[in-house]
Amino acid sequence: MESIHLVTELLHFVIPYLKNQVQLIKGAPEQVRSLHSELQFIEKSLKQYESYDRIFMEDNTVQEWLIQIRSLVPETKGIFNTYKTAKHVQNQRTWPNRWLNAVPHVLELRDIGKRVKKMKKKIEEINSCKNKYFLESQVAKPKRNSEWLERQRREVEEENVEGFEVAIQQVTSMLLTKALTREVVSIVGTTGSGKTTLAKKIHRTMSKQFEHPAWAFVPSIYSMRGLLLDILKDLMPIGEETLKLDDVRLAQKLRNFLQGKKYLVVIDGVEETQLWETLRKEKVFPNENHGSRLLLTTRSTRVASLASSSRDHVHKLDLLDETSRWTLLKKLVFKDGRCYPELEHLGKQIATKCDGLPLAIVSLASLLDRDKRYGQWVDIISNVSWYLNQQDSPPCFGILDLTYHTTIPEHLRKCLLYLGAYPSGSEILARQVINLWVAEELVKDEGGSKAEEIAWRYLEDLFSLSLIEVVRKRSDGGIRKFRIHEIWRMFCVLKSERTGFLQVHTKFVSHSSNNTPWRLSIHHELRCILSNNQDYLPDICTLLCFHDRDSHDSKGSKLDFDRSPFLTVLDVGSTRVSKVDENIKRSCLLKYLKLNHPSLNRLPRTLFSLPNLQTLDIKNTCVMFPYLPSGIWGMQNLRHLLLPPYTMLPKRSDQSRKCLWHLQTLSTITPDGNTAALIFHSRFPSLIKLSLNSQEMENTKRCLERLYKLGCLQKLKIINRAVFPVPRTFPTSLVKVSLVKTDLAADDVMRMLEYLDHLQVLKLLKRSIRGPELEMKPNSFPQLRFLFMEEILVKTWRMGDGAMGSLEELTITRCHELESLPKQLRHLHNIRHVKVNSPSHCLRRELEQLNVQQCEVQIHF
């Protein structure tokens, strides 16, 4: 009887437990969907509260509630990612393996169900506290304005900067003393005070008084080798042999070049005494009696006192005075510099509160220009006053925060914050940022526009708002590389930490918050993070590593994806990676993967089965794939595929009719007969950019014959010897064509390309064409804007009337056989720049007599 009673009691407890477990398992998918909806609601709520009144936002109760709410986001995403991963892994298994793994899968679903219930309980408790301690009716209304600030450049031109006239005179007099010995002059000032602007203006005006002027910028994470190369590049042409030199030999080369010469070298951003000590120890800058000068900018008085021989050679850059602040603000807000009388006293108060920092004034000017009503300016004064009284932020961050919330459109804000991931002074590759934004879903496909097209517009918007500075442009005039202004970069780092958007770890400082980071940017060795068993690694969704190539770890890092199963974005930069583990197949959520070090020579085939991967960039590795794994045909979300040389595409099985519908970039592949077949059968219907590394001319020709099937193709690059097919086989959609070492007959190239009505950029590089004559027929190349010719083997160049009528820029480099330029070039109305480097003797004599009024001509003999 006792045993029966025991069993009865046991069943009394077990049956409800089992029912509960079954309910958890069966209800897991619906519960996850419900939680995902709740996550979207949380994120929308956070966006709404970001635009509320600033004083309300700093209320301690509100702050605590926001911290708790934000802490839920990564955990909730973790649950959702766990479910997606489990579902994907189970679906990928064969039917026998599904049965074998049924119990572990069911148990995993049960655990997910438990986590969902626990998370929902947390959300209910937090919302209960919110409703208990403050009412929604007490919340200040959002101060939103649907009007979008008219796009315009808010850049401060050097000639418009106020209050620098005296500083320019003083620094100039320091540089132009009668002393023949080399002197060092330092400009010292706080962030955003205008040190760089002042140095640029002086460098520009004084360059003619020195035989050899040069400019170099020092980022916060720098290498001596990079700095020496930057200075050398400004003084002389750099060849491949120079790029291979180490620090010591580079220093010696620079020293030898400067010896016996009168030079002016400006080094912008010297913040460490160690940097100057190294330059002095290596005697990089000869101290001879030729009147040479060095000009440094720095925030450190220690650096200035160490570098400059006396206090008389140190200029402390003061903040703008009251008059200069107001004058600058007027010029930025009112085009004619005249303020409305009723706004003048308010404007002066606002200018005073900018703390004399030019960048702060520029930031606030956009806000003032947006709405010139009296009441709006009064409201801005009260907000600015409150922001400048914050104790935990550097000066002017409050103003930047105000500008961030009111002037920068909502769709640009996270794109801007993302730039805080990059190290100080980084030259950011625009294409890389675009692909990262898309992978992070900061930009999405919209209507008929691809996400990448929208992202490029966003980048141009950031430039028009003076938030970034273009470092280098593409051949078609677009942005290739850019920098984010330092004060905005610092703002983005702090803002990202406070909102849980991103965390930055440097070698010296680990910026951390109470939130678990799910986006992490590392500015030192990845090995330091991976080897420390960080407890946040399992929750990481984005891992960006910006690591100096010169200080890489000799052993390298092993990428083990078991420790971070929810990775969506992985960019290890120049970090030495020794091995990528087979378990990468578990990272089914991965959308962006960049491996950039040549030490990597093997990749697991399982990498090519990741279903969500959008960007795969392995072009700088030494991975050898005669043929890519066939699993690539299952990667239906692939958008950008950048491969190392000598890689060929795999054949499709006869049963497979799959296309890579979203593939936009395919670079660089070696074409074969299979490639031609794939193009002919339209397996890449959305391809925009194609780069071919020709190995067998006949295979390349077959591939080129079928390019007309690529109706979206805009950019084509062909490397190595090739043969062109008959004319009119290239798609008319082509905008840019680059030929490198193709050794094509000039007549064949002209016949093939002259009918491309949309062609805007043509690059003929490194013996790409040959022949006695290059002839452009009348009215050919109607839309061509940029023409680059380098080392072409052509003697005579002829142009018919009306050819290249839209040409804006012409660059000719080391074309030693070219004897003259067509006379028709002088009659082109749109041409702005002509650059000729190392011309032949005949062409040199012609150029010396050339007189072109409407364009700038640069000739380097």
Side-chain angles (χ1 to χ4, degrees), residues 48-261:
Q48 177 186 357
Y49 278 98
E50 277 186 354
S51 62
Y52 277 24
D53 183 84
R54 308 267 69 80
I55 297 177
F56 165 77
M57 288 292 290
E58 286 298 315
D59 179 270
N60 289 335
T61 307
V62 178
Q63 280 291 310
E64 181 58 32
W65 176 73
L66 287 173
I67 289 172
Q68 292 184 18
I69 281 290
R70 287 190 183 116
S71 69
L72 298 180
V73 175
E75 192 175 348
T76 305
K77 288 193 175 187
I79 296 173
F80 187 60
N81 290 339
T82 302
Y83 175 72
K84 286 200 296 184
T85 303
K87 185 178 176 183
H88 170 74
V89 170
Q90 183 70 352
N91 290 340
Q92 290 293 106
R93 290 171 175 145
T94 60
W95 278 106
N97 279 333
R98 288 188 190 183
W99 282 107
L100 289 173
N101 290 278
V103 173
H105 181 63
V106 166
L107 293 176
E108 191 170 16
L109 288 180
R110 184 201 63 181
D111 292 339
I112 290 171
K114 285 182 177 180
R115 290 176 65 188
V116 170
K117 288 184 72 174
K118 187 177 178 181
M119 178 57 63
K120 287 201 166 191
K121 187 176 180 181
K122 279 187 183 179
I123 294 172
E124 289 174 4
E125 289 174 352
I126 292 173
N127 281 331
S128 175
C129 290
K130 173 200 164 192
N131 295 331
K132 183 176 180 180
Y133 291 108
F134 65 90
L135 301 174
E136 199 67 34
S137 59
Q138 296 173 330
V139 176
K141 296 297 180 183
K143 296 182 178 179
R144 295 192 178 192
N145 194 329
S146 60
E147 293 180 352
W148 163 230
L149 181 65
E150 182 184 356
R151 289 185 57 189
Q152 57 181 325
R153 289 296 308 275
R154 304 308 302 168
E155 220 167 40
V156 182
E157 300 294 340
E158 276 82 355
E159 57 265 28
N160 288 334
V161 174
E162 295 296 321
F164 279 9
E165 295 80 10
V166 174
I168 291 171
Q169 291 176 6
Q170 291 175 347
V171 177
T172 301
S173 65
M174 293 178 187
L175 293 169
L176 294 181
T177 59
K178 294 181 180 180
L180 294 178
T181 55
R182 185 212 66 199
E183 301 287 349
V184 182
V185 176
S186 301
I187 301 173
V188 183
T190 186
T191 301
S193 60
K195 301 185 297 296
T196 301
T197 302
L198 175 60
K200 279 184 178 179
K201 195 167 183 69
I202 292 170
H203 179 258
R204 184 178 300 175
T205 56
M206 294 192 63
S207 291
K208 295 179 181 179
Q209 301 183 45
F210 293 82
E211 293 175 65
H212 299 281
W215 175 283
F217 171 75
V218 184
S220 59
I221 299 178
Y222 68 90
S223 68
M224 183 58 64
R225 185 172 182 276
L227 176 60
L228 294 173
L229 275 174
D230 285 346
I231 298 173
L232 277 169
K233 286 175 183 176
D234 234 9
L235 292 169
M236 59 188 291
I238 296 295
E240 292 183 2
E241 291 183 3
T242 302
L243 294 174
K244 295 176 182 177
L245 298 178
D246 58 19
D247 295 9
V248 176
R249 292 187 179 180
L250 279 175
Q252 184 180 356
K253 185 177 183 69
L254 178 56
R255 180 171 60 252
N256 292 342
F257 178 85
L258 294 176
Q259 277 179 347
K261 298 180 176 71

Side-chain angles (χ1 to χ4, degrees), residues 526-566:
L526 179 63
R527 177 174 54 87
C528 298
I529 298 295
L530 298 179
S531 62
N532 288 338
N533 293 318
Q534 303 286 357
D535 55 3
Y536 52 71
L537 281 175
D539 298 312
I540 291 289
C541 294
T542 296
L543 184 58
L544 307 173
C545 186
F546 301 97
H547 176 48
D548 185 2
R549 186 188 294 271
D550 291 339
S551 61
H552 58 247
D553 174 22
S554 59
K555 295 181 180 178
S557 302
K558 176 185 174 182
L559 295 182
D560 185 350
F561 291 85
D562 277 338
R563 300 181 64 188
S564 300
F566 305 136

Side-chain angles (χ1 to χ4, degrees), residues 11 26 31 34 121 161 208 219 234 350 364 386 394 502 512 520 546 639 658 670 693 708 772 827:
L11 289 175
K26 292 178 66 176
Q31 289 173 333
S34 172
K121 187 176 180 181
V161 174
K208 295 179 181 179
D234 234 9
I350 293 171
L364 196 55
W386 184 82
L502 169 80
S512 60
L520 182 62
F546 301 97
R639 301 170 85 105
K658 290 182 179 178
T670 297
N693 181 22
Y708 67 91
H827 306 297

Side-chain angles (χ1 to χ4, degrees), residues 713-754:
L713 192 66
Q714 296 180 18
K715 299 179 181 180
L716 173 65
K717 184 175 184 179
I718 306 172
I719 306 169
N720 294 331
R721 296 187 65 187
V723 178
F724 268 2
V726 296
R728 298 187 181 273
T729 53
F730 283 7
T732 57
S733 57
L734 280 172
V735 174
K736 178 180 178 181
V737 172
S738 302
L739 305 178
V740 185
K741 301 179 182 179
T742 48
D743 192 34
L744 289 160
D747 290 345
D748 291 344
V749 174
M750 292 300 102
R751 280 195 293 267
M752 177 61 76
L753 303 181
E754 63 190 4

Side-chain angles (χ1 to χ4, degrees), residues 4 17 90 142-143 212 266 299 479 586 596 610 657 684 697 701 711 713 820 832 842:
I4 295 175
Y17 173 78
Q90 183 70 352
K143 296 182 178 179
H212 299 281
V266 182
R299 294 193 297 262
I479 301 173
R586 303 191 181 195
N596 206 30
L610 298 175
R657 297 293 177 184
F684 318 110
M697 290 191 290
K701 181 182 177 181
L713 192 66
S820 63
R832 295 182 287 107
C842 294

